[in-house]
Amino acid sequence: MALGWPSALERRIAVRYLRGQRGTRSATLQTLVAIGGIAVGVMALVVVLGVMNGLRDDLRDRILVASPHLRVLPYGEGLRLDGWRDVLAVVERTPGVVAAAPEVVASTLILNRGGYGEVAKVAGLELGTGTANVTGLDSVMVTGAIEAREPNDSIDGAVALGSKLAARLTVGRGDLLRVVAPASARTSRVTGTITPVFWTVEVTGIFETGMYIYDNEFLVMDRATAQRFTGLDSAVNTIAVRVADPWEAPIVAARLDSVLGGYPFLTETWQAQNDALFRALEIEKKGMGLVIFFIMVVAAFNIVGTLTMVVRHKTREIGILQAMGLPADGVGRIFLAQGAIIGMVGTGLGLVAGLALAWAVDRWQLIRIDASIYFIEHLPVRVEPLDVLLIVVAAVGLAVVATIHPARRAAALQPVEAIRAE
Protein backbone atom coordinates (compact mmCIF):
# COMPACT_ATOMS: atom_id res chain seq x y z
CA MET A 1 0.00 0.00 0.00
CA ALA A 2 1.50 3.30 -1.10
CA LEU A 3 0.96 6.23 1.22
CA GLY A 4 -0.03 9.62 -0.12
CA TRP A 5 -2.35 12.56 0.38
CA PRO A 6 -6.02 11.42 0.10
CA SER A 7 -8.01 12.92 -2.75
CA ALA A 8 -11.17 14.94 -2.16
CA LEU A 9 -13.31 11.86 -2.96
CA GLU A 10 -11.32 9.72 -0.52
CA ARG A 11 -11.69 12.34 2.22
CA ARG A 12 -15.45 12.57 1.69
CA ILE A 13 -15.78 8.80 1.90
CA ALA A 14 -13.67 8.76 5.05
CA VAL A 15 -15.92 11.33 6.74
CA ARG A 16 -19.02 9.40 5.71
CA TYR A 17 -17.62 6.16 7.14
CA LEU A 18 -16.87 7.89 10.44
CA ARG A 19 -20.49 9.05 10.70
CA GLY A 20 -21.80 5.49 10.46
CA GLN A 21 -24.92 4.19 8.79
CA ARG A 22 -28.44 5.40 9.47
CA GLY A 23 -29.92 3.49 12.34
CA THR A 24 -26.46 2.27 13.43
CA ARG A 25 -24.85 4.48 16.05
CA SER A 26 -22.05 2.12 17.09
CA ALA A 27 -19.54 3.47 14.57
CA THR A 28 -20.37 7.06 15.50
CA LEU A 29 -20.06 6.27 19.22
CA GLN A 30 -16.73 4.54 18.67
CA THR A 31 -15.51 7.55 16.70
CA LEU A 32 -16.52 9.94 19.49
CA VAL A 33 -14.81 7.75 22.08
CA ALA A 34 -11.60 7.68 20.00
CA ILE A 35 -11.70 11.47 19.55
CA GLY A 36 -12.40 11.92 23.26
CA GLY A 37 -9.44 9.73 24.22
CA ILE A 38 -7.06 11.79 22.11
CA ALA A 39 -8.57 15.04 23.40
CA VAL A 40 -8.24 14.03 27.05
CA GLY A 41 -4.63 12.96 26.53
CA VAL A 42 -3.70 16.20 24.77
CA MET A 43 -5.49 18.33 27.37
CA ALA A 44 -3.76 16.51 30.23
CA LEU A 45 -0.34 16.83 28.58
CA VAL A 46 -0.78 20.56 27.94
CA VAL A 47 -1.80 21.25 31.54
CA VAL A 48 0.75 18.98 33.22
CA LEU A 49 3.71 20.17 31.15
CA GLY A 50 2.52 23.76 31.65
CA VAL A 51 2.41 23.23 35.42
CA MET A 52 5.93 21.78 35.46
CA ASN A 53 7.24 24.65 33.31
CA GLY A 54 5.44 27.19 35.49
CA LEU A 55 6.78 25.64 38.66
CA ARG A 56 10.33 25.75 37.28
CA ASP A 57 10.08 29.36 36.03
CA ASP A 58 8.28 30.62 39.12
CA LEU A 59 10.81 29.06 41.44
CA ARG A 60 13.62 30.55 39.36
CA ASP A 61 12.09 34.04 39.47
CA ARG A 62 11.44 33.87 43.19
CA ILE A 63 14.91 32.54 43.91
CA LEU A 64 16.50 35.37 41.92
CA VAL A 65 14.52 38.10 43.66
CA ALA A 66 16.71 37.79 46.76
CA SER A 67 19.60 35.77 45.36
CA PRO A 68 22.18 36.88 42.77
CA HIS A 69 22.79 34.89 39.60
CA LEU A 70 26.17 33.81 40.95
CA ARG A 71 28.57 34.52 43.78
CA VAL A 72 32.34 34.80 44.02
CA LEU A 73 33.38 33.16 47.30
CA PRO A 74 36.73 32.89 49.10
CA TYR A 75 38.45 29.71 50.28
CA GLY A 76 39.99 29.39 53.72
CA GLU A 77 38.92 29.18 57.35
CA GLY A 78 38.15 32.89 57.67
CA LEU A 79 36.00 32.98 54.52
CA ARG A 80 36.70 36.67 54.03
CA LEU A 81 37.69 38.90 51.12
CA ASP A 82 39.94 41.69 52.35
CA GLY A 83 40.91 43.04 48.94
CA TRP A 84 37.40 42.80 47.58
CA ARG A 85 37.47 46.14 45.74
CA ASP A 86 40.15 44.86 43.37
CA VAL A 87 38.24 41.61 42.86
CA LEU A 88 35.03 43.57 42.27
CA ALA A 89 36.71 45.64 39.55
CA VAL A 90 37.88 42.46 37.78
CA VAL A 91 34.42 40.90 38.04
CA GLU A 92 32.69 43.98 36.61
CA ARG A 93 34.98 43.96 33.56
CA THR A 94 34.23 40.32 32.76
CA PRO A 95 32.04 39.82 29.63
CA GLY A 96 28.48 38.85 30.50
CA VAL A 97 28.45 40.56 33.90
CA VAL A 98 25.75 43.22 34.21
CA ALA A 99 26.34 44.25 37.81
CA ALA A 100 28.27 43.16 40.89
CA ALA A 101 28.27 44.21 44.55
CA PRO A 102 29.94 43.15 47.82
CA GLU A 103 27.84 41.11 50.23
CA VAL A 104 28.08 39.83 53.79
CA VAL A 105 26.39 36.55 54.75
CA ALA A 106 26.02 35.17 58.28
CA SER A 107 23.58 33.58 60.74
CA THR A 108 22.14 34.90 63.99
CA LEU A 109 19.52 34.48 66.70
CA ILE A 110 16.69 37.02 67.00
CA LEU A 111 14.68 37.77 70.15
CA ASN A 112 11.51 39.86 70.20
CA ARG A 113 10.24 41.92 73.12
CA GLY A 114 8.69 38.85 74.72
CA GLY A 115 11.93 36.89 74.59
CA TYR A 116 10.76 34.58 71.82
CA GLY A 117 13.70 33.55 69.65
CA GLU A 118 14.16 32.61 66.00
CA VAL A 119 17.24 31.59 64.03
CA ALA A 120 17.76 33.76 60.95
CA LYS A 121 20.16 34.22 58.06
CA VAL A 122 21.76 37.65 57.77
CA ALA A 123 22.44 39.29 54.40
CA GLY A 124 24.47 42.49 54.36
CA LEU A 125 23.79 44.24 51.05
CA GLU A 126 25.20 47.26 49.26
CA LEU A 127 22.37 49.77 49.40
CA GLY A 128 21.29 51.94 46.49
CA THR A 129 22.46 50.83 43.07
CA GLY A 130 24.16 47.71 44.46
CA THR A 131 20.97 46.22 45.87
CA ALA A 132 18.78 47.32 42.96
CA ASN A 133 21.14 46.06 40.25
CA VAL A 134 22.13 42.69 41.71
CA THR A 135 18.99 41.60 43.58
CA GLY A 136 15.35 42.60 43.40
CA LEU A 137 14.62 43.11 47.10
CA ASP A 138 13.86 46.79 46.61
CA SER A 139 10.91 45.83 44.40
CA VAL A 140 9.28 43.46 46.91
CA MET A 141 9.21 45.63 50.03
CA VAL A 142 5.78 45.40 51.65
CA THR A 143 6.46 48.33 53.94
CA GLY A 144 9.42 50.59 54.58
CA ALA A 145 12.86 50.01 53.05
CA ILE A 146 16.29 48.58 53.73
CA GLU A 147 17.99 51.49 55.48
CA ALA A 148 21.32 52.32 57.09
CA ARG A 149 21.21 53.75 60.62
CA GLU A 150 24.15 55.04 62.59
CA PRO A 151 24.51 53.43 66.04
CA ASN A 152 23.39 55.54 69.00
CA ASP A 153 22.31 55.07 72.62
CA SER A 154 19.07 53.36 71.52
CA ILE A 155 20.01 51.13 68.59
CA ASP A 156 23.05 49.48 67.04
CA GLY A 157 21.66 49.39 63.50
CA ALA A 158 18.62 48.73 61.31
CA VAL A 159 17.24 45.61 59.64
CA ALA A 160 14.54 44.52 57.20
CA LEU A 161 12.75 41.21 57.76
CA GLY A 162 10.98 38.64 55.62
CA SER A 163 7.20 38.85 56.01
CA LYS A 164 6.73 35.43 57.60
CA LEU A 165 9.62 35.92 59.99
CA ALA A 166 8.18 39.30 61.02
CA ALA A 167 4.76 37.71 61.52
CA ARG A 168 6.15 35.01 63.81
CA LEU A 169 8.06 37.58 65.84
CA THR A 170 4.97 39.83 65.89
CA VAL A 171 6.92 42.90 64.84
CA GLY A 172 6.38 45.68 62.36
CA ARG A 173 8.12 48.75 61.06
CA GLY A 174 9.62 50.80 63.91
CA ASP A 175 9.76 47.93 66.42
CA LEU A 176 12.99 46.93 68.15
CA LEU A 177 14.61 43.48 68.19
CA ARG A 178 17.64 41.96 69.85
CA VAL A 179 20.03 39.95 67.70
CA VAL A 180 23.14 37.99 68.67
CA ALA A 181 26.29 39.51 67.18
CA PRO A 182 28.62 36.61 66.25
CA ALA A 183 31.80 38.69 66.42
CA SER A 184 30.97 40.11 69.84
CA ALA A 185 30.69 36.80 71.65
CA ARG A 186 32.96 36.61 74.69
CA THR A 187 34.48 33.65 76.50
CA SER A 188 34.12 33.66 80.28
CA ARG A 189 37.46 33.36 82.08
CA VAL A 190 35.77 31.56 84.96
CA THR A 191 33.56 28.98 83.23
CA GLY A 192 35.13 28.94 79.77
CA THR A 193 31.68 29.27 78.18
CA ILE A 194 30.79 31.69 75.40
CA THR A 195 28.60 34.59 76.44
CA PRO A 196 26.62 36.12 73.56
CA VAL A 197 26.39 39.87 73.15
CA PHE A 198 23.09 41.27 71.85
CA TRP A 199 22.56 44.13 69.47
CA THR A 200 19.40 46.20 69.53
CA VAL A 201 18.17 46.86 66.00
CA GLU A 202 15.21 48.74 64.57
CA VAL A 203 12.94 47.17 61.96
CA THR A 204 12.82 49.62 59.06
CA GLY A 205 11.13 47.43 56.45
CA ILE A 206 9.42 44.14 55.66
CA PHE A 207 9.80 42.35 52.32
CA GLU A 208 7.84 39.53 50.72
CA THR A 209 9.49 37.67 47.84
CA GLY A 210 6.88 34.91 47.58
CA MET A 211 9.69 32.39 48.19
CA TYR A 212 8.99 30.73 51.52
CA ILE A 213 12.61 30.17 52.55
CA TYR A 214 13.50 33.86 52.08
CA ASP A 215 10.37 35.28 53.69
CA ASN A 216 10.66 32.82 56.58
CA GLU A 217 14.37 33.07 57.43
CA PHE A 218 16.08 36.19 56.09
CA LEU A 219 17.12 39.37 57.85
CA VAL A 220 18.76 42.11 55.76
CA MET A 221 21.17 44.88 56.82
CA ASP A 222 23.22 47.41 54.92
CA ARG A 223 26.76 46.24 54.19
CA ALA A 224 28.57 48.51 56.67
CA THR A 225 26.31 47.44 59.54
CA ALA A 226 26.72 43.78 58.61
CA GLN A 227 30.51 44.17 58.57
CA ARG A 228 30.43 45.51 62.12
CA PHE A 229 27.91 42.88 63.15
CA THR A 230 30.00 39.96 61.88
CA GLY A 231 33.37 41.42 62.85
CA LEU A 232 34.68 41.52 59.29
CA ASP A 233 35.64 45.19 59.64
CA SER A 234 36.32 46.37 56.05
CA ALA A 235 36.20 42.87 54.53
CA VAL A 236 33.25 41.01 52.98
CA ASN A 237 32.73 37.28 52.47
CA THR A 238 31.17 37.19 49.00
CA ILE A 239 30.64 39.22 45.85
CA ALA A 240 27.18 38.98 44.32
CA VAL A 241 26.99 39.03 40.52
CA ARG A 242 24.14 39.57 38.09
CA VAL A 243 24.44 38.44 34.46
CA ALA A 244 22.45 39.26 31.32
CA ASP A 245 20.79 35.83 31.03
CA PRO A 246 20.28 33.85 34.27
CA TRP A 247 20.50 30.54 32.38
CA GLU A 248 24.01 31.49 31.17
CA ALA A 249 25.34 31.97 34.70
CA PRO A 250 27.55 28.81 34.46
CA ILE A 251 29.23 30.23 31.32
CA VAL A 252 30.00 33.54 33.05
CA ALA A 253 31.15 31.62 36.15
CA ALA A 254 33.65 29.70 34.02
CA ARG A 255 34.97 33.01 32.66
CA LEU A 256 35.36 34.37 36.19
CA ASP A 257 37.20 31.23 37.28
CA SER A 258 39.62 31.77 34.40
CA VAL A 259 40.08 35.50 35.06
CA LEU A 260 40.45 35.16 38.83
CA GLY A 261 42.78 32.18 38.49
CA GLY A 262 40.87 29.78 40.71
CA TYR A 263 42.30 29.48 44.22
CA PRO A 264 41.61 31.27 46.53
CA PHE A 265 38.34 32.10 44.74
CA LEU A 266 35.32 29.93 44.04
CA THR A 267 32.26 30.75 41.92
CA GLU A 268 28.83 29.35 42.71
CA THR A 269 25.82 29.80 40.42
CA TRP A 270 22.17 29.88 41.39
CA GLN A 271 21.68 26.64 39.42
CA ALA A 272 24.36 24.89 41.48
CA GLN A 273 22.79 26.13 44.71
CA ASN A 274 19.42 24.67 43.68
CA ASP A 275 20.65 21.82 41.50
CA ALA A 276 18.76 19.04 43.29
CA LEU A 277 15.49 20.97 43.12
CA PHE A 278 15.64 21.70 39.39
CA ARG A 279 16.85 18.19 38.52
CA ALA A 280 13.90 16.77 40.44
CA LEU A 281 11.49 19.06 38.57
CA GLU A 282 12.95 18.03 35.19
CA ILE A 283 12.72 14.32 36.01
CA GLU A 284 9.18 14.76 37.28
CA LYS A 285 8.21 16.62 34.10
CA LYS A 286 9.52 13.82 31.89
CA GLY A 287 7.97 11.12 34.06
CA MET A 288 4.53 12.69 34.20
CA GLY A 289 4.63 13.46 30.49
CA LEU A 290 5.44 9.82 29.71
CA VAL A 291 2.67 8.52 31.96
CA ILE A 292 0.06 10.79 30.39
CA PHE A 293 1.34 9.95 26.89
CA PHE A 294 0.11 6.41 27.55
CA ILE A 295 -3.40 7.83 27.73
CA MET A 296 -3.08 8.68 24.06
CA VAL A 297 -1.61 5.24 23.37
CA VAL A 298 -4.79 3.72 24.84
CA ALA A 299 -6.81 6.06 22.63
CA ALA A 300 -4.76 4.87 19.66
CA PHE A 301 -5.75 1.27 20.38
CA ASN A 302 -9.33 2.49 20.44
CA ILE A 303 -8.80 3.94 16.94
CA VAL A 304 -7.54 0.56 15.77
CA GLY A 305 -10.70 -1.06 17.12
CA THR A 306 -12.94 1.61 15.62
CA LEU A 307 -11.50 1.37 12.11
CA THR A 308 -11.33 -2.43 12.22
CA MET A 309 -15.04 -2.44 12.96
CA VAL A 310 -15.63 0.02 10.09
CA VAL A 311 -13.73 -2.27 7.71
CA ARG A 312 -15.92 -5.17 8.80
CA HIS A 313 -19.18 -3.23 8.37
CA LYS A 314 -18.12 -1.66 5.09
CA THR A 315 -16.64 -4.74 3.42
CA ARG A 316 -19.36 -4.92 0.77
CA GLU A 317 -19.13 -1.18 0.02
CA ILE A 318 -15.33 -1.41 -0.25
CA GLY A 319 -15.74 -4.19 -2.83
CA ILE A 320 -18.17 -2.07 -4.83
CA LEU A 321 -15.80 0.92 -4.76
CA GLN A 322 -12.96 -1.29 -6.01
CA ALA A 323 -15.18 -2.71 -8.76
CA MET A 324 -15.98 0.87 -9.82
CA GLY A 325 -12.27 1.59 -10.25
CA LEU A 326 -11.02 2.75 -6.86
CA PRO A 327 -7.50 1.27 -6.45
CA ALA A 328 -6.42 -0.68 -3.37
CA ASP A 329 -4.12 2.22 -2.39
CA GLY A 330 -7.14 4.53 -2.49
CA VAL A 331 -9.01 2.25 -0.09
CA GLY A 332 -6.03 2.34 2.25
CA ARG A 333 -5.87 6.15 2.08
CA ILE A 334 -9.55 6.37 3.03
CA PHE A 335 -8.79 4.72 6.35
CA LEU A 336 -5.61 6.69 6.83
CA ALA A 337 -7.71 9.83 6.33
CA GLN A 338 -10.12 8.61 9.01
CA GLY A 339 -7.24 8.24 11.49
CA ALA A 340 -5.90 11.66 10.57
CA ILE A 341 -9.35 13.23 11.02
CA ILE A 342 -9.78 11.58 14.44
CA GLY A 343 -6.30 12.70 15.44
CA MET A 344 -6.68 16.29 14.26
CA VAL A 345 -10.17 16.78 15.72
CA GLY A 346 -9.18 15.18 19.03
CA THR A 347 -5.94 17.14 19.16
CA GLY A 348 -7.69 20.40 18.32
CA LEU A 349 -10.34 19.91 20.99
CA GLY A 350 -7.77 18.81 23.57
CA LEU A 351 -5.49 21.72 22.75
CA VAL A 352 -8.24 24.31 23.12
CA ALA A 353 -9.47 22.73 26.37
CA GLY A 354 -5.94 22.35 27.72
CA LEU A 355 -4.94 25.94 26.98
CA ALA A 356 -8.19 27.24 28.49
CA LEU A 357 -7.76 25.12 31.63
CA ALA A 358 -4.10 26.10 31.95
CA TRP A 359 -5.02 29.79 31.68
CA ALA A 360 -7.78 29.43 34.29
CA VAL A 361 -5.56 27.53 36.75
CA ASP A 362 -2.85 30.18 36.46
CA ARG A 363 -5.15 33.21 36.32
CA TRP A 364 -7.28 32.36 39.35
CA GLN A 365 -4.68 30.31 41.26
CA LEU A 366 -7.06 27.37 41.47
CA ILE A 367 -4.57 24.84 42.87
CA ARG A 368 -3.21 25.86 46.29
CA ILE A 369 -0.22 24.06 47.82
CA ASP A 370 1.71 24.11 51.08
CA ALA A 371 4.35 26.85 50.79
CA SER A 372 6.41 25.39 53.64
CA ILE A 373 7.06 22.29 51.49
CA TYR A 374 6.97 23.55 47.90
CA PHE A 375 8.25 27.13 48.50
CA ILE A 376 5.28 28.65 46.62
CA GLU A 377 1.60 28.96 47.53
CA HIS A 378 -0.10 27.94 44.27
CA LEU A 379 0.70 26.06 41.09
CA PRO A 380 1.66 28.42 38.26
CA VAL A 381 1.20 27.34 34.62
CA ARG A 382 3.49 28.34 31.72
CA VAL A 383 2.68 26.71 28.38
CA GLU A 384 5.69 26.73 26.06
CA PRO A 385 5.25 26.74 22.25
CA LEU A 386 7.77 23.90 21.78
CA ASP A 387 5.82 21.67 24.18
CA VAL A 388 2.59 22.42 22.30
CA LEU A 389 4.23 21.58 18.97
CA LEU A 390 5.58 18.27 20.28
CA ILE A 391 2.18 17.36 21.75
CA VAL A 392 0.36 18.11 18.47
CA VAL A 393 2.86 16.15 16.36
CA ALA A 394 2.82 13.20 18.77
CA ALA A 395 -0.99 13.05 19.01
CA VAL A 396 -1.70 13.31 15.28
CA GLY A 397 1.19 11.00 14.42
CA LEU A 398 -0.01 8.39 16.91
CA ALA A 399 -3.53 8.53 15.46
CA VAL A 400 -2.23 8.07 11.91
CA VAL A 401 0.06 5.19 12.90
CA ALA A 402 -2.89 3.47 14.58
CA THR A 403 -4.73 3.36 11.22
CA ILE A 404 -2.01 1.47 9.35
CA HIS A 405 -3.24 -2.02 10.29
CA PRO A 406 -6.94 -1.38 9.47
CA ALA A 407 -5.92 0.42 6.25
CA ARG A 408 -3.78 -2.52 5.11
CA ARG A 409 -6.58 -4.92 5.92
CA ALA A 410 -9.07 -2.87 3.89
CA ALA A 411 -6.68 -2.51 0.95
CA ALA A 412 -6.06 -6.27 0.86
CA LEU A 413 -9.75 -7.09 0.27
CA GLN A 414 -10.51 -8.67 -3.09
CA PRO A 415 -13.41 -6.95 -4.91
CA VAL A 416 -15.37 -10.15 -5.73
CA GLU A 417 -15.02 -11.59 -2.21
CA ALA A 418 -15.84 -8.23 -0.66
CA ILE A 419 -19.06 -7.86 -2.71
CA ARG A 420 -20.14 -11.39 -1.77
CA ALA A 421 -19.63 -10.61 1.93
CA GLU A 422 -22.79 -10.41 3.99
Side-chain angles (χ1 to χ4, degrees):
M1 182 185 68
L3 297 178
W5 186 257
S7 65
L9 174 62
E10 292 164 352
R11 293 197 297 271
R12 285 199 297 270
I13 295 173
V15 172
R16 183 172 181 180
Y17 280 2
L18 287 174
R19 291 175 179 172
Q21 296 177 342
R22 292 182 179 179
T24 302
R25 298 300 179 187
S26 59
T28 304
L29 179 61
Q30 289 288 333
T31 299
L32 293 177
V33 171
I35 291 173
I38 295 291
V40 169
V42 169
M43 179 182 69
L45 270 176
V46 169
V47 174
V48 169
L49 295 185
V51 167
M52 300 309 299
N53 292 333
L55 192 60
R56 178 201 64 200
D57 292 347
D58 199 69
L59 282 174
R60 178 202 64 193
D61 294 341
R62 292 174 187 271
I63 287 170
L64 296 180
V65 165
S67 177
H69 295 163
L70 65 93
R71 286 186 169 96
V72 177
L73 306 168
Y75 281 105
E77 293 182 357
L79 295 177
R80 54 187 289 152
L81 285 170
D82 290 293
W84 61 266
R85 287 181 173 82
D86 294 333
V87 178
L88 180 63
V90 172
V91 170
E92 290 176 331
R93 290 195 301 267
T94 302
V97 173
V98 173
E103 189 176 71
V104 176
V105 179
S107 297
T108 189
L109 174 68
I110 310 175
L111 297 177
N112 63 8
R113 287 172 296 181
Y116 173 73
E118 283 282 350
V119 176
K121 295 180 180 179
V122 178
L125 306 180
E126 188 79 3
L127 299 188
T129 57
T131 302
N133 289 343
V134 179
T135 68
L137 275 179
D138 287 347
S139 64
V140 293
M141 298 299 300
V142 176
T143 180
I146 306 170
E147 299 179 9
R149 296 285 176 85
E150 291 295 326
N152 53 45
D153 293 338
S154 301
I155 62 171
D156 296 293
V159 298
L161 302 179
S163 59
K164 296 188 182 300
L165 179 59
R168 286 204 313 280
L169 293 170
T170 320
V171 295
R173 185 182 180 187
D175 290 335
L176 300 181
L177 292 171
R178 291 190 299 159
V179 293
V180 176
S184 302
R186 300 170 182 172
T187 303
S188 172
R189 295 181 179 179
V190 178
T191 63
T193 59
I194 297 176
T195 303
V197 174
F198 288 91
W199 276 28
T200 300
V201 294
E202 180 183 351
V203 178
T204 60
I206 296 174
F207 59 84
E208 185 169 2
T209 66
M211 189 72 174
Y212 182 82
I213 190 170
Y214 294 141
D215 298 338
N216 189 59
E217 298 180 9
F218 269 72
L219 173 154
V220 179
M221 303 176 176
D222 72 283
R223 174 177 58 84
T225 301
Q227 286 172 322
R228 290 190 292 107
F229 181 72
T230 57
L232 289 174
D233 297 325
S234 62
V236 299
N237 51 22
T238 179
I239 292 179
V241 181
R242 187 177 187 85
V243 300
D245 183 354
W247 294 109
E248 293 186 357
I251 298 174
V252 179
R255 292 175 188 159
L256 287 172
D257 286 333
S258 177
V259 171
L260 296 174
Y263 185 85
F265 301 107
L266 169 70
T267 57
E268 184 178 47
T269 65
W270 68 274
Q271 292 101 323
Q273 289 178 324
N274 303 277
D275 181 65
L277 175 61
F278 284 98
R279 282 181 182 273
L281 288 175
E282 189 64 26
I283 292 173
E284 189 172 355
K285 176 182 176 181
K286 293 177 180 178
M288 295 183 70
L290 183 61
V291 169
I292 296 176
F293 178 74
F294 285 117
I295 294 176
M296 292 193 296
V297 173
V298 173
F301 279 108
N302 198 14
I303 293 173
V304 174
T306 298
L307 297 186
T308 300
M309 186 181 68
V310 172
V311 171
R312 182 177 179 182
H313 286 309
K314 302 294 185 180
T315 299
R316 186 179 182 87
E317 294 183 18
I318 291 171
I320 294 172
L321 289 173
Q322 289 179 318
M324 294 174 65
L326 184 67
D329 291 345
V331 174
R333 286 194 293 269
I334 289 174
F335 288 89
L336 286 175
Q338 291 183 67
I341 291 170
I342 291 174
M344 288 188 290
V345 173
T347 300
L349 293 174
L351 190 59
V352 171
L355 291 175
L357 182 59
W359 178 84
V361 170
D362 187 61
R363 174 66 176 80
W364 288 300
Q365 303 180 5
L366 298 180
I367 304 178
R368 311 294 295 186
I369 56 178
D370 187 351
S372 63
I373 299 175
Y374 299 102
F375 306 110
I376 56 177
E377 297 178 347
H378 70 93
L379 280 182
V381 184
R382 303 287 186 275
V383 179
E384 295 184 351
L386 180 59
D387 286 341
V388 172
L389 178 62
L390 291 176
I391 291 170
V392 170
V393 171
V396 176
L398 195 60
V400 172
V401 169
T403 64
I404 292 177
H405 173 70
R408 287 183 179 276
R409 182 175 176 181
L413 292 174
Q414 297 298 320
V416 175
E417 295 178 0
I419 293 173
R420 289 176 178 175
E422 294 295 335

